Amino acid sequence: MKYSEVRVPVLYGPQIPRQDRDDTRKRYYRAFLTLFVSWRNVIDLYDINQTWEDAFESRKNLISVHAWKIIENIQLLHECADGEYEVDDIDDLIQLIGSVDEFTAAAINATKKSTENVYIRETIEAVGKGGLFNHMNQHDQHVSNTSIDRQIIPFISATPNLIKLYSKWQDQLKIEKDRIRRSLISGKHNEDDDILDFNAVTDAVVTVMNPYNNQNNMEKYSSIPPVLRAAFLIITSHLDGDSRCRKGDNNGQLIICIPGCGGTGKSQLIRALTKYFLVTKRIHMMRKLAPTGIAAAEIDGITIHSFLGEQRHSGKLRTIKSGASKLENEWRPIEYLLIDEMSMGGLTLLGKLNRIICAAKHVDPQVPFGGVNVIFFGDYLQYRPVYDSPLHTDFSSSSSKKKQGKIPSEKEIQQRVSRSLILQMNCVVKLTQQMRTEDLRYLQLLDRLRHGQCNYDDYELLQTRVVGQPSIESLHDSPWNKAPILVFRNEVRTQINNKAAIHNATQMGHPPMICVAQDTCKGKAIEDPILLKKLLELSDSKTEHLPGLLPFVPGMPVILTQNIATELGLINGINGIFRQLVYHEDSVTTENVSEMFPNNTQYIRRPIYALIEIVKSKIECKLQDLQPKLIPIPLVEQTFQVDVADLIPKDKKPKSNQKTILSIKRSALPLMPAYCITIHKSQGQTLSKAVIDLKLPNETDDIAAVYVPLSRVKRLADLAILRPFDQKVLLMKPNKSQVAEIERLDQLCVKTRLRFSEWFQ
């Protein structure tokens, strides 16, 4: 088509993506193929089993010289619009920060007063008033008098022998990790003979399903809750080819959801299903996945990200090219996917999983999950995913309708497709019967809490557990001095952990020992003291969970903050006990780095590794010269961005089109103290004792903020509440999309009961 005058085309929807970013490269190639290559249908642009990058490379000769000039100019426009600092600009920016005197920096910090900071200060004060730091003695610490304690020196400079041992340990762990990962992905476990013993199947499964019953197997089987038994029979009968389970929509494909709150038997059911697949010689047909490392470890599975072969929060998806026989072979035997903790799984992640299954299985993308049967477990009233939209997102709601005048982004389109997968669930078995009841009144309270229907009696009952009441006079008393404190904010957690570490070190007669992270910018070490102080004191939630200042106390409880080896149980969120820190010689200094720590603090600037006792690790090999469950945790590198605008005086601010953002690479130990943890981190764990806070931060309206901390313990007697709280927090209700999804699942549950009525009796 030709025009008599020059015209500028205006494209609706998202802007043309850029080529030099992993998260937009796929859209880049797709957009330019669509715009500059002639086509009538999709096969003119994209062959089956071909990535968009491959499609672009094979068709770029069809793009005219004039069109190539346009493509180059679009990329140039992106680069010009960035306004980000180049190398010289970064040096100028750091120099500008260096010109700020200490009085200006103090004035900047003094202005940072907000409602949020008041909340943080009051929470920390409440912990202090609870007596946690006032009466501890050495016997009250998280230090066990084990042989490990007596044999290991907690802080030691490296020797050539220790360096060699550390290298051997890393090699051993890599071999072990690869071995277990191959078995998890391929489904190949230790192979016994292929003879199936049906009695062994029945005995094993019944025992797993009802571990609390000491009767014989027939009595055990009859005492298993009917709903739990029905869920097991529906899935295993489908596996065995029962025609009743393969009727209806989706050509016999089973997409089942098994919702239920804690203690209703989800874990037992997952173990029973695993056992059934194993003893019937079909374990290679099932994979167990979860959105987080902790959840994956609980079911002896792997994370969805790891299974897909991609990094968490990465926009780069593992692609399948034609002839990728290895990946196709990995997926070929898989017929069942078990996905736990569905509340923390998001629509974007589910969409990635769906696309890669369809591609690996060479199945029409219209077939949900490539025809693989999917079993969802979880509770929608737990915390939602942090970087994604929850599976229960309702795109037909009023808030979504307000956006109908706008063209949806590609991300939203993909999420809508993922939501359509959830809507194809054809079977629901809701678990409601408690299997570990220890406090009936408390369980009834939790059930009312789920519906926002707690009464005044419930409120008064919880008030009896507030610190300072006769039942809990002080947090310095046992067992509360060893119980983790659950809080809402990372800043609160960090400050309480630092205070606890300082106090415990003092009680032991040791100076506080602090590991200092090593930060660089464009390969250069950060030397400016004001910038360095800002970086080291940043919340680890802003530094990819690598703390700038990490205190260590002998026997201190710690949490791993990175997935070191999911297959070995070395996962983000796993608990351990600090036993030893090995560092380079002459790397300890007493020069004050931060006002957060006392003057006698010793700072370790070049750590090598830390020995952590991790009871739940899955390492089967014996590490040379190490006792079982002692794991060497290495340094980890992460890159994060930080805005330094608040460090620059107003009269020296850069131009408006320039960003005051620095990209920082940090090397540090992926650990944090666990005297105090965030409530979000506690999800999925059952705690023997817990101290929780029910005074919520402003604008908190998620029912999970109340339900998750209260449901971490089995009995009210195992709970301490940090300070008085408002009754209205017990009246928060699930949001509209949660309610709508729960009602939809309830309706499907009724249909499932009618369809398999004999199994629910």
Side-chain angles (χ1 to χ4, degrees):
M1 181 182 295
K2 292 186 178 181
Y3 295 99
S4 58
E5 57 188 42
V6 176
R7 295 171 182 263
V8 177
V10 178
L11 302 176
Y12 287 93
Q15 67 174 355
I16 298 295
R18 56 190 300 159
Q19 181 185 16
D20 53 352
R21 281 176 48 180
D22 288 341
D23 59 336
T24 61
R25 189 173 291 122
K26 176 182 174 181
R27 287 201 298 118
Y28 170 87
Y29 291 120
R30 185 172 61 200
F32 285 120
L33 279 172
T34 306
L35 289 172
F36 297 113
V37 173
S38 300
W39 61 279
R40 290 183 179 275
N41 54 58
V42 71
I43 61 173
D44 294 329
L45 300 175
Y46 179 86
D47 294 335
I48 297 175
N49 299 324
Q50 192 175 43
T51 66
W52 282 106
E53 183 175 355
D54 292 339
F56 183 84
E57 289 295 324
S58 64
R59 292 168 175 79
K60 63 183 181 182
N61 62 305
L62 302 177
I63 300 175
S64 68
V65 175
H66 177 66
W68 271 112
K69 190 65 177 177
I70 295 174
I71 293 172
E72 291 169 1
N73 287 341
I74 289 174
Q75 180 64 19
L76 181 61
L77 179 63
H78 278 303
E79 295 170 1
C80 292
D82 282 346
E84 295 182 357
Y85 283 82
E86 298 298 332
V87 176
D88 293 340
D89 297 318
I90 290 175
D91 291 338
D92 292 342
L93 182 59
I94 294 176
Q95 186 176 2
L96 189 60
I97 296 171
S99 68
V100 179
D101 58 45
E102 59 180 314
F103 300 104
T104 305
I108 292 171
N109 291 330
T111 61
K112 296 180 181 178
K113 291 183 179 180
S114 64
T115 304
E116 177 71 7
N117 287 340
V118 170
Y119 173 82
I120 292 172
R121 187 186 72 248
E122 290 179 347
T123 306
I124 295 168
E125 288 175 353
V127 175
K129 291 177 182 177
L132 186 63
F133 307 134
N134 297 335
H135 301 85
M136 283 186 177
N137 54 54
Q138 185 165 348
H139 299 290
D140 292 326
Q141 309 308 315
H142 293 74
V143 184
S144 57
N145 188 25
T146 65
S147 58
I148 291 179
D149 295 324
R150 294 191 294 270
Q151 294 177 14
I152 293 185
I153 300 171
F155 302 100
I156 185 171
S157 60
T159 63
N161 184 52
L162 283 176
I163 297 293
K164 288 181 182 178
L165 272 177
Y166 175 63
S167 179
K168 289 181 180 179
W169 294 335
Q170 294 305 308
D171 291 340
Q172 284 182 275
L173 290 174
K174 185 179 184 305
I175 292 171
E176 182 75 351
K177 173 184 174 180
D178 292 342
R179 180 186 69 80
I180 296 178
R181 177 173 174 76
R182 283 195 301 271
S183 69
L184 287 171
I185 289 180
S186 66
K188 293 180 180 178
H189 296 260
N190 294 329
E191 295 183 0
D192 299 321
D193 60 85
D194 293 330
I195 301 173
L196 177 61
D197 184 343
F198 183 77
N199 289 328
V201 173
T202 305
D203 292 350
V205 169
V206 170
T207 301
V208 172
M209 288 278 279
N210 199 2
Y212 306 113
N213 194 320
N214 295 320
Q215 300 166 326
N216 63 54
N217 277 335
M218 286 302 296
E219 292 171 323
K220 279 185 178 182
Y221 187 81
S222 63
S223 64
I224 295 174
V227 173
L228 195 62
R229 187 168 62 242
F232 176 80
L233 290 172
I234 290 170
I235 296 167
T236 55
S237 296
H238 186 276
L239 172 67
D240 294 335
D242 192 317
S243 60
R244 291 172 295 178
C245 304
R246 294 178 177 264
K247 293 179 181 178
D249 301 332
N250 299 339
N251 295 316
Q253 181 184 11
L254 179 65
I255 305 179
I256 183 172
C257 180
I258 305 176
C261 60
T264 53
K266 294 193 300 291
S267 298
Q268 285 91 339
L269 179 55
I270 291 171
R271 286 196 292 269
L273 290 170
T274 304
K275 193 72 174 179
Y276 189 85
F277 274 79
L278 183 63
V279 298
T280 59
K281 314 298 181 183
R282 288 176 287 189
I283 193 65
H284 61 282
M285 297 168 62
M286 179 176 64
R287 299 294 180 274
K288 295 182 291 184
L289 308 177
T292 67
I294 283 289
E298 288 294 322
I299 61 173
D300 291 323
I302 58 177
T303 64
I304 300 175
H305 288 93
S306 179
F307 192 58
L308 295 181
E310 62 173 10
Q311 294 295 316
R312 193 169 178 82
H313 312 321
S314 168
K316 187 176 182 180
L317 179 67
R318 185 183 185 183
T319 56
I320 302 176
K321 298 182 179 180
S322 180
S325 58
K326 180 180 178 182
L327 189 58
E328 292 170 3
N329 289 337
E330 288 175 358
W331 278 94
R332 186 173 292 115
I334 301 175
E335 295 185 23
Y336 291 83
L337 279 181
L338 190 155
I339 301 177
D340 196 15
E341 291 289 353
M342 63 182 183
S343 73
M344 298 189 76
L347 291 173
T348 300
L349 182 59
L350 190 70
K352 290 179 180 180
L353 180 63
N354 178 65
R355 288 194 297 275
I356 202 167
I357 295 175
C358 290
K361 289 279 193 179
H362 298 286
V363 174
D364 187 333
Q366 298 297 320
V367 178
F369 302 108
V372 172
N373 305 288
V374 184
I375 309 161
F376 290 97
F377 286 87
D379 178 7
Y380 276 133
L381 296 189
Q382 302 281 327
Y383 273 117
R384 52 173 287 172
V386 178
Y387 300 103
D388 205 345
S389 296
L391 301 184
H392 57 73
T393 301
D394 184 3
F395 290 102
S396 64
S397 65
S398 57
S399 59
S400 297
K401 289 178 180 178
K402 291 178 182 178
K403 301 178 182 179
Q404 285 185 355
K406 301 179 181 179
I407 296 177
S409 65
E410 179 178 349
K411 181 178 180 180
E412 185 176 330
I413 292 171
Q414 295 296 338
Q415 288 180 343
R416 287 173 180 265
V417 171
S418 298
R419 175 60 184 164
S420 70
L421 297 173
I422 294 297
L423 294 175
Q424 294 191 59
M425 286 178 180
N426 51 19
C427 195
V428 172
V429 179
K430 189 173 182 178
L431 305 182
T432 56
Q433 182 175 333
Q434 277 290 330
M435 296 184 66
R436 61 183 188 200
T437 301
E438 295 186 15
D439 186 337
L440 182 59
R441 187 179 179 189
Y442 187 54
L443 290 171
Q444 291 170 341
L445 182 154
L446 291 176
D447 187 59
R448 286 190 289 273
L449 179 66
R450 292 175 62 85
H451 302 91
Q453 297 174 351
C454 281
N455 53 44
Y456 190 73
D457 288 342
D458 295 328
Y459 176 63
E460 284 197 321
L461 180 63
L462 290 177
Q463 286 285 2
T464 65
R465 306 304 299 171
V466 173
V467 176
Q469 296 296 315
S471 58
I472 309 173
E473 293 184 356
S474 173
L475 292 179
H476 82 268
D477 297 329
S478 181
W480 306 112
N481 56 358
K482 297 179 182 178
I485 302 173
L486 277 53
V487 297
F488 292 100
R489 293 291 189 252
N490 288 293
E491 290 83 358
V492 174
R493 179 255 299 153
T494 299
Q495 292 193 42
I496 292 175
N497 278 330
N498 287 343
K499 287 179 178 292
I502 293 168
H503 185 83
N504 293 350
T506 302
Q507 293 292 315
M508 293 179 180
H510 298 310
M513 304 290 287
I514 311 296
C515 262
V516 182
Q518 299 302 301
D519 292 338
T520 59
C521 183
K522 292 293 183 180
K524 299 179 180 179
I526 305 294
E527 297 179 352
D528 179 77
I530 294 176
L531 176 58
L532 184 61
K533 183 175 184 297
K534 176 184 174 70
L535 294 176
L536 292 178
E537 293 183 356
L538 279 175
S539 168
D540 58 78
S541 62
K542 300 176 182 178
T543 62
E544 296 296 325
H545 305 291
L546 289 181
L549 299 168
L550 174 61
F552 279 115
V553 179
M556 179 179 78
V558 294
I559 283 181
L560 198 59
T561 65
Q562 305 278 328
N563 287 328
I564 302 297
T566 306
E567 301 82 358
L568 304 179
L570 306 182
I571 52 179
N572 178 13
I574 197 72
N575 293 289
I577 300 292
F578 165 69
R579 296 303 181 194
Q580 186 179 71
L581 179 68
V582 178
Y583 51 87
H584 287 287
E585 191 175 5
D586 301 327
S587 68
V588 180
T589 176
T590 56
E591 181 183 352
N592 189 272
V593 174
S594 172
E595 292 83 5
M596 293 189 298
F597 300 100
N599 293 332
N600 67 332
T601 299
Q602 296 188 14
Y603 296 93
I604 300 171
R605 296 183 176 275
R606 296 174 61 206
I608 302 174
Y609 66 88
L611 285 182
I612 307 297
E613 183 181 357
I614 302 178
V615 175
K616 291 186 177 180
S617 75
K618 301 175 183 177
I619 299 173
E620 297 177 0
C621 66
K622 174 71 170 65
L623 298 180
Q624 184 177 337
D625 294 346
L626 272 187
Q627 296 185 32
K629 302 304 181 180
L630 272 184
I631 314 297
I633 301 299
L635 294 172
V636 168
E637 282 191 351
Q638 291 285 3
T639 300
F640 61 91
Q641 292 187 320
V642 58
D643 192 342
V644 295
D646 60 336
L647 296 181
I648 302 174
K650 290 183 179 179
D651 60 337
K652 296 183 179 181
K653 295 282 186 186
K655 298 176 182 178
S656 59
N657 68 328
Q658 290 182 314
K659 298 179 181 179
T660 54
I661 294 177
L662 296 178
S663 182
I664 305 296
K665 177 177 284 188
R666 169 165 291 181
S667 174
L669 288 168
L671 298 164
M672 68 173 63
Y675 302 111
C676 179
I677 62 175
T678 61
I679 291 171
H680 197 280
K681 183 70 75 175
S682 74
Q683 178 162 313
Q685 300 185 48
T686 299
L687 304 175
S688 59
K689 293 285 187 293
V691 180
I692 70 169
D693 188 14
L694 291 182
K695 188 171 183 179
L696 309 185
N698 284 350
E699 300 179 2
T700 301
D701 58 0
D702 188 349
I703 190 174
V706 181
Y707 181 71
V708 170
L710 282 172
S711 59
R712 292 311 89 204
V713 295
K714 300 178 182 179
R715 307 176 304 162
L716 183 64
D718 297 329
L719 186 74
I721 301 176
L722 184 61
R723 52 183 165 174
F725 61 96
D726 197 317
Q727 182 186 356
K728 66 182 181 182
V729 303
L730 303 179
L731 302 177
M732 288 201 301
K733 298 182 182 296
N735 64 40
K736 291 182 179 179
S737 66
Q738 286 173 316
V739 171
E741 183 68 358
I742 291 171
E743 290 177 348
R744 186 182 74 87
L745 294 181
D746 286 344
Q747 292 172 4
L748 281 172
C749 184
V750 172
K751 293 180 181 178
T752 302
R753 280 178 168 271
L754 292 174
R755 181 179 171 189
F756 303 104
S757 57
E758 70 275 21
W759 289 340
F760 284 89
Q761 295 175 359

